Amino acid sequence: MLSETFLSQLQRIAPVRREEPLALHVTLRIGGPAEAYLQARGCRQLRQAAALAHQWEAPLFLLGAGSNLLVSDRGLRGLVVETWANRDAPLNLPSPGQPLCPEAMPVWAFAGTPLPRLARRAARAGLAGLEWAVGIPGTVAGGVVNNAGAHGGDMAGVVRSVLVATPAGERVLDPADLDFGYRQSVFRQEAPAAAAPGTILAVELALTRDAPEAIQARMAQYADYRRSTQPSQRSVGSIFKNPEGFAAGWLIEQTGLKGQRAGDAQISSKHANFIVNRGHATAAAVEELILLAQDAVRETFGLTLELEIQRVGEGS
């Protein structure tokens, strides 16, 4: 249980909500309450909240758009800081028509900046490299944590450096420090002994020059493909990573589970690697379908489906 003194000090940074339902803040609309919840309206508030949590040794979880999270029905203990709240923070993109250097153009974005917004702004400025991100409903920081990607592109291909806050102060991580892999980074290590790399404050991206019309045409093509192949209901994106040489959705479909339901949770009838919330689904119901799909694919193909989403919360 968090100290009342700690919570009163947090209140000086930004309003703190007790037992805030996290279902309101994730794309799947599932999840129990956060013990304490704070919206960081900018980089300064994010830095201050992280420093105070470190000082009090309080559990700290950063929440972006919540588009890759399955939050347990029991919620999260400790402090949840929403960085999505700083989505309107300014970006240091050049103005349209402004001459650029021939080499990669450095662009800084705050942690909570939505990837689609950044991709569109970059396109208008004639900066390519983020077209793949136009349909990904996540933040820049979340993209780094999960090495988000689509259509052959990912964060590993564009990240130049990451500014993090640590108990010892701020530091800049280079690509070699980030340990990027398929939907993986140093920020998402499973080993308990892994040293926490810090709280992401901002990310520097290296983008390249191209005609805005050409960039926007590629983005429109990717957006159309996404709309035609993925469900429109509430979801958390792709549930499983694709095993080498296979598409997870195809494997699940071959087992006959497409459309399978557990309560209001359903393996999408449009794309079997999505589990959708038909109205009042619970995390327990989603977990039931996850295990069902994993067991069926293992029995049918001898393959293990690994989660792409992140489980968080009590009992996860």
Side-chain angles (χ1 to χ4, degrees):
M1 183 175 293
L2 297 175
S3 160
E4 289 297 325
T5 304
F6 167 64
L7 292 173
S8 66
Q9 291 178 0
L10 267 181
Q11 193 73 35
R12 299 171 191 165
I13 298 171
V16 177
R17 303 178 200 170
R18 310 281 190 98
E19 300 299 317
E20 174 74 3
L22 290 174
L24 300 176
H25 304 280
V26 297
T27 59
L28 192 55
R29 290 297 186 262
I30 287 174
E35 183 178 359
Y37 180 88
L38 178 150
Q39 290 182 319
R41 292 290 178 185
C43 201
R44 185 173 69 89
Q45 288 184 346
L46 176 56
R47 183 186 294 114
Q48 290 175 335
L52 193 61
H54 289 315
Q55 178 185 332
W56 281 86
E57 298 183 349
L60 172 65
F61 183 80
L62 299 188
L63 175 67
S67 59
N68 197 48
L69 299 178
L70 177 59
V71 180
S72 80
D73 296 317
R74 294 167 58 189
L76 274 74
R77 297 300 87 194
L79 171 64
V80 174
V81 175
E82 181 190 341
T83 61
W84 178 248
N86 69 21
R87 60 189 177 273
D88 295 324
L91 309 172
N92 75 329
L93 290 170
S95 302
Q98 177 181 336
L100 303 176
C101 297
E103 63 271 14
M105 179 74 183
V107 172
W108 277 98
F110 290 115
T113 303
L115 279 171
R117 173 177 177 256
L118 179 58
R120 293 189 184 96
R121 287 280 302 276
R124 290 196 294 270
L127 295 176
L130 281 174
E131 296 91 316
W132 55 268
V134 68
I136 294 181
T139 61
V140 171
V144 170
V145 171
N146 297 289
N147 189 20
H151 308 290
D154 59 16
M155 291 300 284
V158 294
V159 170
R160 185 167 177 170
S161 63
V162 176
L163 176 66
V164 300
T166 75
E170 294 179 10
R171 61 183 292 232
V172 174
L173 303 180
D174 296 322
D177 302 317
L178 299 175
D179 193 23
F180 278 131
Y182 175 45
R183 305 297 176 261
Q184 183 70 36
S185 76
V186 70
F187 295 94
R188 199 177 160 180
Q189 298 291 349
E190 301 297 336
T199 300
I200 298 176
L201 298 175
V203 178
E204 183 188 22
L205 306 172
L207 305 181
T208 55
R209 298 175 62 183
D210 199 356
E213 298 80 9
I215 301 171
Q216 290 168 343
R218 291 193 292 271
M219 289 170 59
Q221 179 184 355
Y222 295 155
D224 287 344
Y225 178 81
R226 191 179 187 92
R227 282 191 293 269
S228 67
T229 60
Q230 297 183 6
S232 58
Q233 299 105 315
R234 298 245 176 228
S235 78
V236 70
S238 296
I239 293 289
F240 301 106
K241 299 177 183 179
N242 291 323
E244 187 172 356
F246 295 92
W250 181 86
L251 292 170
I252 298 167
E253 184 172 353
Q254 300 314 300
T255 68
L257 289 178
K258 202 172 187 181
Q260 179 72 35
R261 291 182 60 171
D264 264 3
Q266 181 182 37
I267 294 177
S268 171
S269 56
K270 189 170 187 178
H271 192 313
N273 198 21
F274 283 66
I275 294 177
V276 299
N277 182 354
R278 295 175 58 90
H280 301 284
T282 62
V286 174
E287 291 283 3
E288 181 180 335
L289 292 178
I290 287 172
L291 292 175
L292 187 64
Q294 287 176 320
D295 289 344
V297 168
R298 187 180 300 110
E299 291 175 9
T300 305
F301 297 98
L303 296 172
T304 299
L305 291 179
E306 296 182 9
L307 285 178
E308 180 171 324
I309 63 169
Q310 184 179 0
R311 292 180 173 119
V312 295
E314 297 289 300
S316 296

